[in-house]
Amino acid sequence: MNKFAEFVVLRAKFIIAVTLALTLGFAAALVINGVKFNGSPETLARNDEALAFFHQTQATFGDDRVIIVAFTTNDIFTSEAQDRLYALTSRLAAMQGVSEALSLANLKDISREEGGIVIDKLLPTNATTAQLQQRKNAILQDPLYARHYIAADARTAAINVFLKPLPTKESHAVALEIERVVKAESRGDLWLAGVPLMDVKGVNSMVRDVLVLSPLAAILCFLVFFGAFRNFWGAVLPTIALLMGLIWTIGFMGMLGKPITIATLSLPTVLMAVGSSYIFHVLNQYKISMSSLAASADRQTQNASWLDGLRFILPAVFVSGATTIAGFASLTSSPVPAAKDMGLFEATGVAFMLLLTLAFIPAVLTLLPQHSLGRHDGEEKDYALWMNPLLKHITALILFRRRSVLFISLAATLFLGVGVYWMRVNTDYLKIFPRDSEISQTAAKLHEQLAGASVLQIVVSGNPDAATSTTFMQNLAALEQFALEQPGVDAAISVADIVKKFNQALPGKPDEQVAAIPHNAARLQSIFNNYLSQDEALNKLVNRDRSTAVIVLRTNLFGSNEIHAFADKIKQWQSDHLPQTVAARLTGSFILLNDASDAVASSQASSLVIALITIYLMMVLMFRSFATGFLALLPNLLPIFGYFGFLGWTATTLDITTSLIASSVLGLAVDNAVHMIRRYRQAVAECQAHPHSESSSAEGWAMWLTMHRTGKPMTLANLMLIAAFLIFTLSSFVPVRTSGLLWAITILACLVADLIFLPALMKTKLFHKAALGNASKLEKQLPDERKSTQGVKVESYE
């Protein structure tokens, strides 16, 4: 890094010009491509065969997502209520982007009259209340309509609005227009629910979070830098660099056509927080370098001192950034695309922030006056003076209570780690939204009064024309009945229900009418040939070659664990009852979420192992010692182990958002260890050359210098990280709130470990040599002006 440091100082203007040009380029890409958002649960699904099957099912039977408009009154079976229901159904059906809208007002019914079967409107047009009341009981007991379109108490009716296949943006626009129309028509008796609306609300919440949380994070960073350095450049320069890094990253996402999802929603705030931690160390080193100079030092002397400081700090910052990149990049091993995107763009964004920290920030500081971060005379040689007493006590604790520190740290980690036994994997899409949100409340109301908003499909397939065989149809009906008996399943419909209806209406022997599915193959064939083949709507339930039928389930199942349990029951029933020629498979948006949740558990271990190995090898290469690499890694393994135990103790599930934390925090936390070990070695070398006190050992004084020079920026940087992640508690999404809190707690634990446990560990016989490294060799390489406390006024730690 020495040559790179020289290039930065000697070519400062060139680096600034290139940086500005790149920023303009990425900004142009951002303006051209815009920022896209996607709140669909499919963004959290794996890009595998299950997703391909889901898309194939959609192409065959239509989209499983539907917007349900609920109309509540005292009794749906009155002429006034039916007139209103008919008017609203007609208006929704006529809207652009709507495939069809179905309700009691326009549904067809099958009945037997003399001369054959009559297919007519379920409810007569302009029917009187008396006529409607005559039909009431029959409709409430008919599985084709009960809970799908009418509540059991006859007080709530549903209009199922099916959207045309549209791109995401157009689909969202249609859903919003439907919501606008319904709210305009409502007299306090209309409400909406359904996955398409969840998608729209999710996107709106994402936009709100980005517009609110990101500026808050930027303001926070500015205030922390200003509070630490108390001057213009100390606050403005880091803020400019952070905004540049965001423009580069979001512009890069736009160039690749990648939208912001629930997994990448935290990207801007995370990058600003992480970038700030690197910048803190560079600015801190600049103050140290300038403090060793006289107030009248010329530009050449300033650049020489700054170059010397860069030669020391840049390798540590580079390795710190590289470990963070490795932590995020390990997430790309996940089979979940959302996690991959999060890992890829977090790693890319950190790389951009690192480049700006290593090149742009030092280049600007090279051109600024010596006192640009504050004067260095008298009492103003130090900054953040309020931290000095705390750091002094921590130094004394390490020097005189080392065994207690080690014992308490290990005992606390062991206690927390026991909680791993109770840790559970689960992703609940509905719980992404707060309990008091409109989405959660309408979903609960829909489940109570009609049928749940979660749509699952059981695809039953066999040979061509299998659906026209009595055996296949009887198996289909039996499977549907079994599914209906399971907890959380509110309603179901399949072609078997329609066949039952026709069988009961057709003339024939009583036993054939009673036996829901006809035993007579000719009778079943007649139903298909003479009636069902002429109904295009039937294509939503059985494909054209009659080889595959679908059972559409309306459920209140949103959690991956409960969906997994339901899927296992369907598989077991299939194994026990279906012949080998017939296969049944569960699919749907939430089935994909279930598969993704399963992938979380397996990918968590692999991404963490990849991060551990990569980061450890980086430590070994940097320190050229296997023992030192382990020393840098060990203190940060304890909080990560404690993190998983904390999830178990607090009953916080490991889901798609919380699973991304451990590997990422590990990369961030090792940064602290790198700076702590390198600064300690430098401080030991200085103190061996120039002892400061007869009553204090060189290594004791060195520990205080390390705390003062690195413990201070390290603490400030981590406090900024913690504060930035706590901003996520203001998010519209529960998982983002939870993950923000978990990030903050874990980073705090890592800070404590690196600030107290690591120094105590360095003083043990086992790691003492690894901690010192080649400090004696470093002493000979120190420039004369560095073989002192470099003008920084420090107090004795005693």
Side-chain angles (χ1 to χ4, degrees), residues 507-578:
K509 297 179 181 179
D511 63 330
E512 290 180 344
Q513 296 173 26
V514 173
I517 299 296
H519 297 297
N520 188 315
R523 186 181 181 90
L524 178 60
Q525 191 72 42
S526 173
I527 292 173
F528 270 97
N529 294 340
N530 298 330
Y531 301 101
L532 300 183
S533 61
Q534 301 173 20
D535 190 353
E536 287 295 325
L538 193 69
N539 293 330
K540 290 182 177 293
L541 298 175
V542 63
N543 68 348
R544 294 187 181 278
D545 70 358
R546 307 292 186 252
S547 65
T548 305
V550 64
I551 303 171
V552 180
L553 306 175
R554 293 271 299 279
T555 80
N556 195 47
L557 304 176
F558 292 95
S560 58
N561 282 348
E562 54 190 3
I563 291 177
H564 193 283
F566 176 68
D568 285 345
K569 291 179 180 178
I570 295 298
K571 289 178 182 177
Q572 186 61 49
W573 191 94
Q574 173 189 357
S575 176
D576 295 340
H577 297 88
L578 292 184

Side-chain angles (χ1 to χ4, degrees), residues 167-368:
T168 300
K169 186 176 181 180
E170 286 81 355
S171 177
H172 287 178
V174 174
L176 286 173
E177 181 62 15
I178 291 173
E179 182 182 43
R180 186 194 67 78
V181 168
V182 171
K183 288 187 175 180
E185 292 282 342
S186 178
R187 303 170 190 166
D189 52 6
L190 298 177
W191 45 276
L192 304 89
V195 174
L197 279 176
M198 289 183 182
D199 291 354
V200 175
K201 299 294 184 182
V203 169
N204 290 343
S205 297
M206 285 181 185
V207 174
R208 176 260 179 197
D209 280 6
V210 169
L211 294 179
V212 173
L213 303 187
S214 300
L216 282 178
I219 293 171
L220 172 67
C221 293
F222 177 87
L223 292 177
V224 172
F225 276 110
F226 184 80
F229 296 102
R230 303 285 181 136
N231 66 83
F232 176 81
W233 285 111
V236 172
L237 180 58
T239 304
I240 292 173
L242 294 175
L243 293 178
M244 284 182 172
L246 281 186
I247 292 172
W248 290 17
T249 307
I250 305 300
F252 180 64
M253 289 181 66
M255 292 167 64
L256 296 181
K258 291 289 186 177
I260 292 178
T261 66
I262 188 69
T264 55
L265 180 62
S266 60
L267 182 67
T269 304
V270 171
L271 292 184
M272 282 190 282
V274 173
S276 297
S277 67
Y278 304 145
I279 294 172
F280 249 117
H281 287 287
V282 173
L283 296 183
N284 176 69
Q285 182 60 51
Y286 182 79
K287 285 187 69 71
I288 293 175
S289 298
M290 294 300 104
S291 67
S292 65
L293 304 178
S296 58
D298 58 23
R299 173 60 64 181
Q300 184 176 359
T301 303
Q302 292 176 33
N303 288 351
S305 180
W306 181 219
L307 177 60
D308 184 55
L310 286 178
R311 285 170 175 164
F312 173 79
I313 199 64
L314 289 191
V317 173
F318 174 77
V319 173
S320 296
T323 58
T324 305
I325 292 171
F328 283 122
S330 67
L331 299 175
T332 59
S333 66
S334 172
V336 181
K340 284 185 177 182
D341 285 348
M342 193 264 195
L344 172 63
F345 292 115
E346 293 282 13
T348 302
V350 170
F352 288 153
M353 290 293 185
L354 181 61
L355 182 59
L356 290 165
T357 303
L358 297 176
F360 176 72
I361 294 286
V364 174
L365 290 173
T366 300
L367 301 179
L368 291 177

Side-chain angles (χ1 to χ4, degrees), residues 733-756:
F733 298 99
V734 174
V736 176
R737 296 178 188 177
T738 303
S739 62
L741 186 61
L742 291 173
W743 273 92
I745 292 172
T746 310
I747 290 173
L748 177 61
C750 290
L751 172 62
V752 172
D754 287 318
L755 202 59
I756 302 177

Side-chain angles (χ1 to χ4, degrees), residues 342-424:
M342 193 264 195
L344 172 63
F345 292 115
E346 293 282 13
T348 302
V350 170
F352 288 153
M353 290 293 185
L354 181 61
L355 182 59
L356 290 165
T357 303
L358 297 176
F360 176 72
I361 294 286
V364 174
L365 290 173
T366 300
L367 301 179
L368 291 177
Q370 176 185 356
H371 305 304
S372 56
L373 294 187
R375 300 189 64 83
H376 304 284
D377 54 298
E379 294 298 325
E380 294 187 35
K381 292 180 180 179
D382 199 2
Y383 69 98
L385 296 174
W386 58 272
M387 290 188 61
N388 288 351
L390 174 63
L391 294 175
K392 183 166 64 175
H393 289 307
I394 291 176
T395 304
L397 189 66
I398 293 165
L399 295 177
F400 305 116
R401 295 289 186 270
R402 174 172 53 84
R403 291 183 179 177
S404 298
V405 169
L406 294 174
F407 175 78
I408 292 173
S409 299
L410 293 174
T413 302
L414 184 61
F415 173 77
L416 279 175
V418 172
V420 171
Y421 177 79
W422 294 284
M423 188 178 69
R424 296 292 181 265

Side-chain angles (χ1 to χ4, degrees), residues 1-215:
M1 296 294 290
N2 287 347
K3 289 186 177 180
F4 181 79
E6 292 175 6
F7 180 80
V8 170
V9 173
L10 296 177
R11 298 288 186 270
K13 292 182 179 179
F14 172 77
I15 289 174
I16 293 172
V18 171
T19 302
L20 294 176
L22 286 172
T23 303
L24 289 175
F26 280 114
L30 188 56
V31 171
I32 294 171
N33 297 298
V35 181
K36 299 180 178 64
F37 296 86
N38 192 341
S40 170
E42 290 180 39
T43 62
L44 304 177
R46 291 186 291 181
N47 188 15
D48 58 5
E49 188 271 338
L51 181 61
F53 182 78
F54 171 70
H55 287 156
Q56 179 184 345
T57 302
Q58 282 187 311
T60 304
F61 300 106
D63 198 333
D64 68 330
R65 299 179 300 173
V66 59
I67 295 178
I68 299 101
V69 179
F71 169 38
T72 301
T73 186
N74 291 329
D75 189 348
I76 294 296
F77 293 91
T78 64
S79 57
E80 294 82 7
Q82 284 302 309
D83 289 344
R84 186 124 185 269
L85 187 63
Y86 177 81
L88 184 56
T89 302
S90 300
R91 182 172 180 183
L92 292 173
M95 289 180 61
Q96 187 175 5
V98 172
S99 172
E100 62 178 339
L102 300 177
S103 73
L104 296 180
N106 63 352
L107 285 170
K108 299 287 183 67
D109 188 34
I110 306 162
S111 61
R112 180 171 60 177
E113 293 185 4
E114 289 188 18
I117 289 179
V118 175
I119 301 176
D120 200 355
K121 293 188 66 175
L122 177 64
L123 295 174
T125 305
N126 300 322
T128 64
T129 299
Q131 291 174 318
L132 293 171
Q133 290 296 320
Q134 289 178 357
R135 298 281 294 139
K136 182 175 181 178
N137 290 335
I139 292 175
L140 291 177
Q141 296 172 15
D142 195 321
L144 285 176
Y145 315 118
R147 300 209 70 172
H148 290 286
Y149 298 98
I150 184 67
D153 61 3
R155 298 183 61 183
T156 303
I159 305 173
N160 290 351
V161 184
F162 297 89
L163 306 186
K164 293 179 180 178
L166 295 170
T168 300
K169 186 176 181 180
E170 286 81 355
S171 177
H172 287 178
V174 174
L176 286 173
E177 181 62 15
I178 291 173
E179 182 182 43
R180 186 194 67 78
V181 168
V182 171
K183 288 187 175 180
E185 292 282 342
S186 178
R187 303 170 190 166
D189 52 6
L190 298 177
W191 45 276
L192 304 89
V195 174
L197 279 176
M198 289 183 182
D199 291 354
V200 175
K201 299 294 184 182
V203 169
N204 290 343
S205 297
M206 285 181 185
V207 174
R208 176 260 179 197
D209 280 6
V210 169
L211 294 179
V212 173
L213 303 187
S214 300

